[in-house]
Amino acid sequence: MIDVTAETEKKPLIRQRADPYMYFHTDGYYYFTASVPEYDRIELRRSWTITGLADAEPVVVWRKHADGPMSWHIWAPEIHFIDGKWFIYFAAGQAQDPWYIRTWVLECDSPDPFADGWREKGQLVPEWDSFQLDTTVFEHAGKLYAVWAQKRKERKENSVLYIAHMPNPYTIEYPQVMLSYPEYGWECSGFSVNEGPAVIERNGRVFVTYSASATDAAYCMGLLYADSSADLLNPSSWKKLPEPVFVTNAGRGIFGPGHNSFTTDRTGNIDILVYHARPYADVDLDFALYDPNRHTWVKRFTWNSDGFPVFDA
């Protein structure tokens, strides 16, 4: 059965769901979570097909606190299955200071993540305390790594990207290593931002896509890569492409694409880009995060003769 088609790619898959994360599990289900417009809860949905997620019933597995940590701006959840347990990583502020954004972890022992078994595991604590969000995790060569966006000690940019080894799914091992900072013009439009990392390994390389600039039509995706055999905690192992790899396409009605994740079709032979974008260009930067119309889209992508992903046809 062909799930994602040219027709599927022409319109949003799920409306008003930003920062989408999709995961194809060994039980045969596609799992999906994303930021909801109210920024007040974490939802999961699942389906046997990618397109079926559009009509799948969302189930709330966690709600924000009334006060204190995890009480405001519940952002960018990701669901992962690690060593037989489910984990959700998400960013959250607090009512007294909505921009005191940090990363938190939920854990579920049940084989069924829709069971009422989620518990708060605590904060994913980085090497220093500052604005932190968009954590993703991945396994490589038998080790678990985290990649996330954070304001660095010097507070120069809004956010840069870091990587670190994880001795377990809820702990960052120090030192953390900077992967990328906003340095090109396309990374600094409106705000100087590197955020929303996603990892895919193909063709002897580890690739990290990320999003850059403010969340208007300038928002776009960049690409980092390292050899699979390299030390991923050595900054010199990583290279950055000088141009973005996925940008606004006004002709297709896709504006500010970014904050992606990756999945595949059921055969594993077709790679799928999952991302959010708006259907229009005009947005007030002061209120962009509260414009609910960042929709989830999906798109097949291929690889060029040099082994690099090709997102924008």
Side-chain angles (χ1 to χ4, degrees):
M1 178 178 127
I2 299 175
D3 195 6
V4 177
T5 66
E7 286 301 310
T8 307
E9 296 171 356
K10 289 180 180 179
K11 59 184 179 180
L13 176 69
I14 305 174
R15 294 185 178 275
Q16 296 192 342
R17 289 298 182 268
D19 314 319
Y21 190 83
M22 194 180 296
Y23 166 61
F24 184 40
H25 190 44
T26 53
D27 63 2
Y29 279 111
Y30 286 93
Y31 288 84
F32 177 85
T33 189
S35 299
V36 301
E38 298 82 5
Y39 297 149
D40 65 350
R41 65 192 184 275
I42 296 176
E43 294 179 345
L44 294 179
R45 60 178 79 186
R46 66 183 167 193
S47 171
W48 288 106
T49 63
I50 292 173
T51 53
L53 288 167
D55 298 316
E57 185 70 24
V59 174
V60 177
V61 297
W62 183 88
R63 292 187 183 275
K64 72 175 184 178
H65 291 196
D67 202 3
M70 296 181 284
S71 61
W72 207 263
H73 282 160
I74 309 305
W75 286 347
E78 290 195 4
I79 184 168
H80 294 263
F81 190 74
I82 305 168
D83 295 334
K85 294 183 180 181
W86 294 95
F87 293 89
I88 291 176
Y89 300 86
F90 67 101
Q94 52 192 22
Q96 298 90 335
D97 184 356
W99 299 104
Y100 190 85
I101 305 291
R102 302 296 185 269
T103 294
W104 300 83
V105 186
L106 304 177
E107 182 184 64
C108 178
D109 293 334
S110 173
D112 180 6
F114 282 69
D116 187 18
W118 288 95
R119 63 182 180 275
E120 295 170 3
K121 195 65 179 178
Q123 185 181 348
L124 191 67
V125 181
E127 195 171 345
W128 60 87
D129 185 47
S130 65
F131 181 87
Q132 178 199 18
L133 74 170
D134 295 352
T135 297
T136 193
V137 302
F138 68 101
E139 293 184 64
H140 173 74
K143 292 184 177 181
L144 186 65
Y145 295 87
V147 183
W148 69 96
Q150 186 178 355
K151 189 179 285 288
R152 57 174 162 168
K153 291 179 181 178
E154 297 82 0
R155 304 297 205 268
K156 290 182 178 180
E157 307 89 357
N158 295 88
S159 61
V160 305
L161 295 182
Y162 289 96
I163 187 172
H165 174 245
M166 303 179 77
N168 57 57
Y170 44 85
T171 306
I172 291 172
E173 185 176 87
Y174 311 144
Q176 61 189 60
V177 175
M178 187 169 70
L179 284 183
S180 174
Y181 67 92
E183 55 185 310
Y184 298 111
W186 54 269
E187 298 176 292
C188 303
S189 176
F191 298 104
S192 296
V193 168
N194 283 177
E195 65 180 15
V199 180
I200 186 169
E201 187 167 356
R202 294 283 190 281
N203 307 322
R205 296 186 181 98
V206 179
F207 296 94
V208 176
T209 54
Y210 66 95
S211 298
S213 289
T215 57
D216 58 4
Y219 204 58
C220 60
M221 281 169 45
L223 185 69
L224 307 167
Y225 65 96
D227 289 341
S228 295
S229 60
D231 177 4
L232 300 186
L233 298 182
N234 184 342
S236 65
S237 297
W238 293 90
K239 298 178 178 62
K240 178 196 288 193
L241 296 188
E243 300 293 337
V245 292
F246 197 39
V247 299
T248 286
N249 187 324
R252 292 179 57 205
I254 295 172
F255 297 88
H259 202 127
N260 74 288
S261 57
F262 295 107
T263 191
T264 68
D265 73 340
R266 297 189 71 84
T267 70
N269 295 323
I270 298 175
D271 289 308
I272 308 291
L273 178 71
V274 185
Y275 65 98
H276 75 224
R278 286 192 181 88
Y280 47 79
D282 293 336
V283 61
D284 185 339
L285 272 185
D286 290 334
F287 300 99
L289 288 172
Y290 306 104
D291 176 334
N293 293 318
R294 289 185 294 171
H295 305 320
T296 294
W297 303 63
V298 293
K299 185 181 191 299
R300 297 162 298 173
F301 68 95
T302 57
W303 302 83
N304 66 22
S305 59
D306 294 323
F308 284 79
V310 179
F311 300 119
D312 210 3

